[in-house]
Amino acid sequence: MSEPSTPYTPASTSTTVARNETLTLADKIKKYDTTKLVDLLREEKDLGLNDEDLEIICKRKINGWAFLKMDQQDFRDSGFKIGTAIVLADFAEKCKEKKKRAIDESSKEFKLCIDDILRRIKNMGPVVDSNEAMRCKYISTILYTAVSILGGLVILPQMNVSGEENSSCVDYAIKKILDDLLEKIICITEGKQNQLGKGVAQNLMQCRSSCEMNLDTLKKKRKTEEAFKEYEYVYGIVTTATDWYFILHSTEAIYCTSKTEYHISLTEPIYVKM
């Protein structure tokens, strides 16, 4: 009989994550084309924009870079009414000052996440060449930490999503609580060992079904006589635990939020005093 195998116990382990960047929201918006800018403005409910206002953005072909350069008179010249022009000029100015939300590495949630990842590396071994089930252990740790930090969200593993053309069980669904009775899906995550292309295809179908489910939820929330424009979006994540790809799937278009993956190293050994 062979001797029992010894658990993997590296002399030292660590995780590496990207450094927080003190970028303004404007640094992100200036890369937007007209469609993505309209999506952003539509979500900013406090601006009070209607379809006619958003149509001006499209008609004038105002992209993110141009939007940030515009002042009150520029918006007036584009066809906006005085009140809307003031609001948009003020919003554009605030975007230049508003910092993108960064992770507080000193927070309790972040430290617990790192400690959990370190324990998993020590007990289960490195992620490289590990199977999908093991990778999902790391994925769940990172997702649960993100949900905990943001607040107002719930995460459901192995949730069923059903649309007109597809019905499937997703690895992780993150939902936003609308009120005591209603929730909407904001993110679908697909964990993979490899075959990322297949994972992206699956994720897109799942996001599409989730958009359809959200539209049904919003229709129930709104009054029957209220005008309802069928627009919705869901974020998609495809990940191997180390490589993370982010997608934005809306009822109008599909976007890749980055040309390259976001990488979290879960294998590099450096000295850690345990």
Side-chain angles (χ1 to χ4, degrees):
M1 181 180 295
S2 60
E3 295 182 1
S5 59
T6 303
Y8 176 82
T9 54
S12 58
T13 54
S14 175
T15 61
T16 60
V17 296
R19 287 287 181 185
N20 291 330
E21 297 179 344
T22 56
L23 300 177
T24 63
L25 184 58
D27 292 311
K28 183 177 181 180
I29 293 176
K30 68 182 181 182
K31 300 177 183 179
Y32 284 3
D33 59 17
T34 300
T35 301
K36 292 190 72 173
L37 176 63
V38 168
D39 289 344
L40 170 68
L41 296 176
R42 182 183 280 114
E43 289 301 309
E44 294 291 332
K45 303 298 184 183
D46 292 342
L47 298 179
L49 302 180
N50 55 32
D51 290 341
E52 182 180 338
D53 297 324
L54 298 175
E55 182 62 30
I56 294 175
I57 298 287
C58 295
K59 185 177 180 180
R60 299 294 184 182
K61 296 183 179 180
I62 301 172
N63 60 18
W65 190 283
F67 178 79
L68 295 170
K69 294 289 185 180
M70 296 174 72
D71 58 21
Q72 181 180 324
Q73 188 58 50
D74 291 328
F75 286 114
R76 288 283 286 152
D77 293 342
S78 297
F80 290 99
K81 295 180 180 179
I82 180 62
T84 305
I86 293 173
V87 169
L88 288 174
D90 183 61
F91 178 69
E93 193 63 32
K94 287 182 177 178
C95 287
K96 300 171 187 176
E97 303 170 357
K98 186 175 181 181
K99 302 294 183 181
K100 291 171 65 177
R101 185 168 184 175
I103 296 176
D104 180 6
E105 295 185 6
S106 64
S107 69
K108 179 180 68 175
E109 292 85 355
F110 184 82
K111 290 180 178 179
L112 288 173
C113 176
I114 296 301
D115 288 343
D116 190 34
I117 289 175
L118 289 172
R119 280 192 294 269
R120 292 184 186 281
I121 293 176
K122 184 175 181 179
N123 295 329
M124 298 189 301
V127 176
V128 177
D129 297 327
S130 61
N131 58 33
E132 187 172 309
M134 183 182 292
R135 289 173 183 270
C136 283
K137 297 292 185 181
Y138 292 98
I139 294 169
S140 62
T141 294
I142 295 169
L143 290 179
Y144 277 106
T145 300
V147 168
S148 176
I149 291 174
L150 292 172
L153 305 174
V154 294
I155 182 168
L156 300 175
Q158 301 301 309
M159 174 184 166
N160 285 312
V161 295
S162 180
E164 294 181 1
E165 299 180 3
N166 180 63
S167 178
S168 63
C169 182
V170 303
D171 289 337
Y172 303 94
I174 298 176
K175 305 178 77 175
K176 180 179 180 180
I177 301 172
L178 300 178
D179 54 37
D180 292 338
L181 298 176
L182 297 177
E183 301 170 343
K184 65 174 288 187
I185 301 169
I186 64 169
C187 182
I188 296 294
T189 300
E190 177 73 19
K192 284 292 182 185
Q193 177 184 8
N194 44 42
Q195 296 182 315
L196 287 172
K198 181 179 179 181
V200 169
Q202 291 174 329
N203 191 249
L204 289 174
M205 292 297 293
Q206 294 163 351
C207 287
R208 179 175 179 177
S209 296
S210 299
C211 280
E212 293 170 356
M213 291 177 65
N214 284 345
L215 287 172
D216 289 339
T217 298
L218 293 175
K219 286 177 182 177
K220 295 175 184 177
K221 184 176 176 63
R222 301 189 181 196
K223 297 179 181 178
T224 55
E225 67 272 11
E226 184 179 352
F228 180 77
K229 184 175 181 180
E230 293 196 350
Y231 175 84
E232 185 55 41
Y233 70 91
V234 172
Y235 288 99
I237 299 175
V238 181
T239 177
T240 62
T242 54
D243 293 332
W244 295 70
Y245 297 84
F246 299 89
I247 300 166
L248 174 62
H249 188 298
S250 77
T251 48
E252 295 180 353
I254 298 171
Y255 305 96
C256 178
T257 59
S258 176
K259 293 183 179 180
T260 58
E261 76 279 5
Y262 182 86
H263 186 74
I264 302 177
S265 176
L266 300 173
T267 58
E268 293 183 10
I270 63 172
Y271 179 77
V272 176
K273 186 176 181 180
M274 301 297 289

